[in-house]
Amino acid sequence: MSTKLLRRKAEKIDDLAASGGTSLAADAVRRMARSPIAITGAVITLLFVLLAILAPFLAPKDPSIPYDELKNQLRPDSIPGPMPGFLLGSDQNGYDFFSRLLVGAQQTLIVGVVATLIGVVVGMTIGGLAGAFGGWVDTLLMRFTDILLAIPSLLLAISIAALFAHGSQWTVIIAVAVVSVPIFARLLRGAMLAQRSSDHVLAATALGVKRGTIVFRHMLPNSVGPVIVQATLTLATSIIDAAALSFLGLGDPDPSRAEWGLMLGNSQGYLDVKPELAFYPAIAIIVVALGFTLLGESLREALDPKNRR
């Protein structure tokens, strides 16, 4: 009985070897393609990105210009709703509300992506140096990240944005990026410390390979996977934090700039007149953040070797 079992296992191993096996990335893609959660997140994310790219071409009106036909109908207790030529009517300043919603997707994506990229680059630099050198370099850099992590993320972002004399889109980007730096730093540093004790790194060290070569050819390439997954999740957080800063008036105060957080903040005095001014931007922010979160969580589970079947 045991001989038959061993023969059967050997045959399975031979079949797997003959087929070339399945890489972790290919297996992750296969499992994500069968996951309803991953598909939902990917569809939402893809639609949002396409909408943001095509927004200037899809917008029926110029979102930065108030229209007389809308301004003439503005009243203290009334804001025009849907009408010919204006699908969702006017906002509180006479702008085409539908066009501003579309273009707001582009501004929201730009802020979220740029802030996340800056956080990834700076965080990976700090985490890479800490993981590569260790010792006092690791201690100094990690104590700096501990200080940033000790402050609640939104409070830290508000404090950084408030340091600037005048709010702008870049103040929001910098504030949101700083918040994400310690996350990526500690994540990469932990992955690199794990790689430092791996067999192939120890073998390269024993053979006298230079530290720079070991870091960039052995440790770093095998450590960036978790960072990429975390970047997808952080993108959702960055969009929410950027919207929160604009909502609090710490972003670009220009009312002609269409951005969901700014639109949400400027609509607070008109909730009893036209609640749609706050409802639509809020729903858009929630749906987009949900899409990136679902995609990131599914990607993290799919890339986890423990979940391989």
Side-chain angles (χ1 to χ4, degrees):
M1 184 70 178
S2 58
T3 305
K4 292 182 179 179
L5 181 61
L6 290 175
R7 186 182 299 115
R8 196 174 303 161
K9 289 185 177 181
E11 290 175 354
K12 289 183 179 180
I13 295 175
D14 292 339
D15 293 340
L16 183 61
S19 63
T22 304
S23 67
L24 179 60
D27 186 63
V29 172
R30 176 179 57 82
R31 283 186 283 126
M32 288 185 67
R34 297 186 301 180
S35 170
I37 295 177
I39 294 174
T40 301
V43 169
I44 294 175
T45 302
L46 179 61
L47 290 177
F48 170 62
V49 172
L50 290 177
L51 177 62
I53 294 174
L54 300 176
F57 307 101
L58 297 176
K61 304 289 183 180
D62 189 335
S64 62
I65 298 178
Y67 289 87
D68 292 335
E69 51 265 57
L70 296 177
K71 292 177 60 178
N72 294 335
Q73 299 187 45
L74 290 176
R75 302 290 185 271
D77 59 346
S78 177
I79 297 177
M83 55 189 298
F86 301 94
L87 186 61
L88 295 179
S90 172
D91 68 353
Q92 67 274 13
N93 296 314
Y95 297 100
D96 179 39
F97 186 44
F98 179 67
S99 297
R100 290 176 67 80
L101 274 177
L102 293 178
V103 177
Q106 186 178 73
Q107 295 297 322
T108 301
L109 179 63
I110 291 174
V111 172
V113 170
V114 174
T116 302
L117 286 177
I118 294 176
V120 168
V121 172
V122 178
M124 287 187 63
T125 301
I126 295 175
L129 291 174
F133 290 97
W136 66 269
V137 176
D138 181 21
T139 302
L140 179 63
L141 293 176
M142 287 302 101
R143 296 300 76 77
F144 171 71
T145 59
D146 288 342
I147 294 174
L148 296 179
L149 287 173
I151 306 173
S153 58
L154 185 57
L155 180 59
L156 177 60
I158 293 174
S159 302
I160 295 173
L163 293 176
F164 295 89
H166 302 286
S168 67
Q169 192 174 37
W170 276 105
T171 63
V172 173
I173 291 175
I174 294 173
V176 174
V178 171
V179 169
S180 63
V181 165
I183 300 174
F184 295 112
R186 294 196 70 88
L187 187 62
L188 183 62
R189 179 248 186 188
M192 291 190 68
L193 289 180
Q195 288 294 321
R196 182 188 292 180
S197 58
S198 61
D199 293 338
H200 65 282
V201 171
L202 294 176
T205 304
L207 292 173
V209 180
K210 295 181 179 179
R211 175 181 292 184
T213 303
I214 294 176
V215 170
F216 288 104
R217 294 190 60 182
H218 299 281
M219 295 174 64
L220 191 59
N222 293 314
S223 303
V224 297
V227 176
I228 296 175
V229 175
Q230 183 60 42
T232 307
L233 296 170
T234 301
L235 188 54
T237 307
S238 298
I239 290 175
I240 295 176
D241 289 345
L245 293 178
S246 297
F247 175 83
L248 295 173
L250 296 174
D252 190 349
D254 185 4
S256 65
R257 187 176 64 85
E259 193 269 325
W260 288 343
L262 182 62
M263 294 169 63
L264 185 60
N266 291 339
S267 66
Q268 296 307 295
Y270 305 91
L271 294 178
D272 55 340
V273 179
K274 190 175 181 180
E276 300 96 308
L277 296 179
F279 180 77
Y280 288 131
I283 290 298
I285 293 171
I286 293 172
V287 171
V288 170
L290 177 64
F292 281 111
T293 301
L294 293 178
L295 183 61
E297 289 291 349
S298 300
L299 184 61
R300 175 156 54 189
E301 292 182 2
L303 290 175
D304 189 350
K306 297 178 182 179
N307 295 329
R308 299 192 75 179
R309 296 290 185 268

